[in-house]
Amino acid sequence: MPYICPICQSPLLQHLPSKGYFCKNKHHFDLAKEGYLNLLPAQYKKSKEPGDSRAMMRARRNFLEAGFYQPMAQALAKIIDSHKSATTPMHILDVGCGEGYYCRQLEALAENPESLDLHGIDIAKNAIFAAAKKQQNARFIVASNKNMPYADQYFDLLLRIYAPSNDQEITRLLKPDGLLLIVTPGPRHLWQLKEFIYKEVKEHSVDVALPAGFAQIASQRVSYKTQPDSEQRMALLHMTPFAWRANATTQQQIQRVHNLEIEADFILTLAMLR
Ligand SMILES: C[S@@+](CC[C@H](N)C(=O)[O-])C[C@H]1O[C@@H](n2cnc3c(N)ncnc32)[C@H](O)[C@@H]1O
Ligand SMILES: [Zn+2]
């Protein structure tokens, strides 16, 4: 079983008639109608709705579903395909998966989707609800990446795309020969959008901080131009932290400008335990 109890860390077993999960100490977790598990007990929540807001999640879904980041998703699928695990299925976890776009893409782009066992974790319940509703063949849980309720060494690959993570947990969850695939912004990511917001736009560093004990085995830069329309530019703004920095006038300028070409630029880093 992939899951452990978030309260006592014992393995979680599924009760088949109800489909809920329980541990030997009788902690019990229902499976939501949409198919996700909430493994973030109320006593561990630091706020009422932790993680990204529903508005951010919807903006991200609208922008991503329009396909603007699909070239990056294709590059991820290719890397995964060329590093298949020795045993099938390959257990993959998307850490901070948000509304699940990349899990859906990995299933859609895989040569053999049955060979992938896709999981997603996020602290935002609204995002996990949306992810689970749209993809039956992946398993989603609400939980914090600081305390990821999965069994030790369960995963062959962990994916971290623009999301926070906890080094200790990443190390614990990966098999000894497991892979960590990280996506971070490349030097010119969203350059033209940032020109509206900052007086002086600076390039992102290409250096990626790896968790202690990990060594990089490959790195790839994926960059290209996009041309979102006015509404899609607003969605892009609202799925990034830039929205906080752009006042109403700047937001209007971004909305009204004609034919803005925006660079997408990503660094994909593949690492494994030394
Ligand atoms: C920038 S979004 C990226 C989402 C997704 N990876 C994507 O690229 O579409 C960061 C995500 O991390 C989640 N997050 C923030 N803090 C978290 C935590 N402590 N544990 C788990 N997820 C967290 C947020 O809810 C949000 O969905
Ligand atoms: Zn328990």
Side-chain angles (χ1 to χ4, degrees):
M1 271 303 186
Y3 306 118
I4 57 170
C5 174
I7 298 166
C8 70
Q9 280 74 49
S10 313
L12 280 182
L13 298 170
Q14 193 169 25
H15 177 249
L16 280 176
S18 73
K19 294 196 172 165
Y21 284 77
F22 65 94
C23 73
K24 64 176 190 210
N25 294 318
K26 297 203 168 67
H27 299 123
H28 183 267
F29 305 90
D30 292 332
L31 190 73
K33 183 165 104 275
E34 297 73 24
Y36 70 90
L37 266 180
N38 187 344
L39 296 181
L40 184 67
Q43 64 266 35
Y44 297 164
K45 273 187 170 181
K46 292 205 176 108
S47 63
K48 197 163 166 271
E49 284 191 32
D52 280 9
S53 67
R54 194 171 143 76
M56 275 180 105
M57 184 276 291
R58 290 185 73 98
R60 184 167 296 120
R61 170 160 282 179
N62 289 341
F63 184 81
L64 293 175
E65 281 292 326
F68 293 111
Y69 286 0
Q70 216 210 6
M72 185 262 276
Q74 278 165 337
L76 290 178
K78 223 169 166 182
I79 294 174
I80 292 174
D81 205 49
S82 56
H83 287 86
K84 282 211 185 84
S85 55
T87 53
T88 47
M90 182 177 189
H91 299 293
I92 298 178
L93 173 64
D94 186 357
V95 177
C97 65
E99 58 72 52
Y101 176 74
Y102 296 100
C103 277
R104 293 194 293 283
Q105 284 292 306
L106 292 187
E107 183 183 343
L109 297 169
E111 260 179 38
N112 179 9
E114 291 86 61
S115 68
L116 304 183
D117 171 36
L118 293 165
H119 292 253
I121 178 173
D122 201 286
I123 203 165
K125 189 170 159 197
N126 68 68
I128 289 296
F129 174 97
K133 209 167 169 191
K134 225 173 159 70
Q135 190 179 19
Q136 266 79 53
N137 294 330
R139 292 188 268 180
F140 293 97
I141 66 166
V142 180
S144 167
N145 55 30
K146 295 194 186 81
N147 183 8
M148 298 198 271
Y150 297 101
D152 294 358
Q153 301 187 0
Y154 185 77
F155 291 102
D156 297 286
L157 186 137
L158 297 185
L159 192 57
R160 203 189 80 194
I161 309 172
Y162 283 76
S165 71
N166 174 285
D167 292 2
Q168 248 178 325
E169 283 291 80
I170 290 229
T171 309
R172 182 180 69 78
L173 294 194
L174 267 185
K175 290 182 182 168
D177 59 350
L179 297 166
L180 173 62
L181 184 50
I182 303 178
V183 179
T184 47
R188 293 187 58 83
H189 191 51
L190 306 182
W191 189 269
Q192 294 75 7
L193 189 70
K194 285 158 78 180
E195 279 181 329
F196 280 88
I197 299 163
Y198 300 102
K199 275 208 182 93
E200 196 192 336
V201 185
K202 291 202 182 95
E203 289 199 347
H204 268 288
S205 157
V206 285
D207 296 334
V208 177
L210 293 176
F214 279 80
Q216 180 177 313
I217 53 174
S219 165
Q220 184 184 345
R221 184 169 173 188
V222 178
S223 48
Y224 53 92
K225 295 201 167 101
T226 66
Q227 202 161 359
D229 67 20
S230 155
E231 202 178 313
Q232 292 160 338
R233 284 196 297 268
M234 294 318 278
L236 175 59
L237 186 67
H238 286 101
M239 67 187 243
T240 65
F242 305 140
W244 305 104
R245 300 197 166 258
N247 60 27
T249 316
T250 308
Q251 294 208 15
Q252 268 184 6
Q253 285 169 344
I254 294 170
Q255 192 170 22
R256 288 184 185 162
V257 65
H258 289 289
N259 301 332
L260 182 68
E261 226 171 37
I262 302 179
E263 284 172 75
D265 189 6
F266 306 99
I267 306 281
L268 280 51
T269 306
L270 189 66
M272 69 188 299
L273 280 163
R274 269 195 274 258

